Amino acid sequence: MEDLSELLSLSASQSPPPERMLQILTAAAKLFATQGFDRTSMRDIAQECGISKATLYHYFPDKDSIIRPMVMGTTRSIFQHVSALDDPERPPLERLRTLMVETATFFERYRWAWIAGSAIFWNDPQVRRRKQRLEWRDRYETLLRSIIEEAIRRGDMRPMDVALAGRLVASTLSWLPRWYNPEGPLTAPEIADQFYGMIVAGFMPRPG
């Protein structure tokens, strides 16, 4: 079961949601991810939690109020997680490996919330909220591109379109939670580590 308390704290000064809200959010995340947001009802969520609909409505008036924290929380927290572990003094290829492996670690920890949130990332009718999410996503991509740019500058990678290279890495990782098997032979970070080796081998300068 995912522990969403840290993920859903909107700032360092805000306390995590109370236990009952976390139970609801966690159950809803899995239902949204496996059944789809539109096909999941408030009744489904209440039954999954073992509570009455009245209790559910006491905490959340509708499904939108449940999904919103997941979308914002995952978009913000993935950047905060990888940036906290990035060390600009390290060689860029080491930084890239850390970013990729730690992104997968985050996805493994918050798999259902990420799938549920990313599925409706673009569908929020409120422009301000959508803009905030895009700002956090852009911070992640800016960090990734800066690492690739530094690797190219040092000669660790051949010259290339940095934006496209960043999208390749980010897209490869963002689909990982949807298809990897938690019961399989490799963990998500181990898969990301193999992705790193494959991508970097293809990025290295061509001989001659």
Side-chain angles (χ1 to χ4, degrees):
M1 185 70 73
E2 292 174 297
D3 179 5
L4 304 185
S5 56
E6 181 179 356
L7 179 72
L8 298 173
S9 295
L10 297 182
S11 70
S13 62
Q14 182 172 355
S15 300
E19 184 175 350
R20 177 64 80 185
M21 291 180 68
L22 284 173
Q23 179 198 18
I24 294 168
L25 289 162
T26 300
K30 185 171 183 178
L31 289 172
F32 292 155
T34 55
Q35 298 182 177
F37 180 77
D38 291 336
R39 292 189 296 273
T40 299
S41 67
M42 293 291 276
R43 180 185 298 277
D44 293 333
I45 298 170
Q47 289 178 341
E48 183 72 15
C49 294
I51 60 177
S52 67
K53 286 180 66 176
T55 300
L56 176 59
Y57 282 115
H58 172 75
Y59 291 98
F60 297 98
D62 50 36
K63 291 192 298 180
D64 184 62
S65 63
I66 298 176
I67 195 68
R68 279 201 311 268
M70 294 181 207
V71 181
M72 179 61 75
T74 52
T75 309
R76 181 196 66 249
S77 296
I78 182 61
F79 168 74
Q80 293 177 332
H81 178 73
V82 298
S83 62
L85 297 171
D86 179 55
D87 181 0
E89 300 300 318
R90 293 169 58 204
L93 290 184
E94 290 184 15
R95 294 172 64 198
L96 178 62
R97 179 182 179 276
T98 297
L99 181 143
M100 292 181 67
V101 170
E102 289 302 326
T103 296
T105 299
F106 179 91
F107 289 160
E108 188 171 61
R109 185 178 304 159
Y110 301 117
R111 183 186 181 198
W112 299 127
W114 174 263
I115 294 173
S118 61
I120 65 166
F121 184 91
W122 298 101
N123 297 331
D124 193 331
Q126 291 200 17
V127 174
R128 184 179 65 84
R129 287 202 308 249
R130 189 166 63 246
K131 182 179 178 182
Q132 289 175 336
R133 293 166 190 165
L134 288 172
E135 287 173 352
W136 285 110
R137 185 210 60 180
D138 289 348
R139 292 185 189 187
Y140 177 95
E141 292 190 357
T142 297
L143 174 60
L144 172 57
R145 292 178 187 181
S146 71
I147 293 171
I148 294 173
E149 286 176 343
E150 177 66 10
I152 294 171
R153 187 188 67 79
R154 288 170 49 119
D156 296 334
M157 293 181 182
R158 59 181 172 82
M160 68 186 76
D161 187 313
V162 172
L164 284 179
R167 290 191 184 102
L168 171 63
V169 174
S171 298
T172 298
L173 293 171
S174 65
W175 280 97
L176 177 60
R178 294 179 178 275
W179 60 259
Y180 95 94
N181 181 4
E183 305 301 323
L186 296 176
T187 65
E190 288 170 340
I191 294 171
D193 195 35
Q194 291 204 21
F195 282 162
Y196 164 80
M198 296 172 188
I199 289 174
V200 169
F203 285 179
M204 283 183 176
R206 295 188 180 101

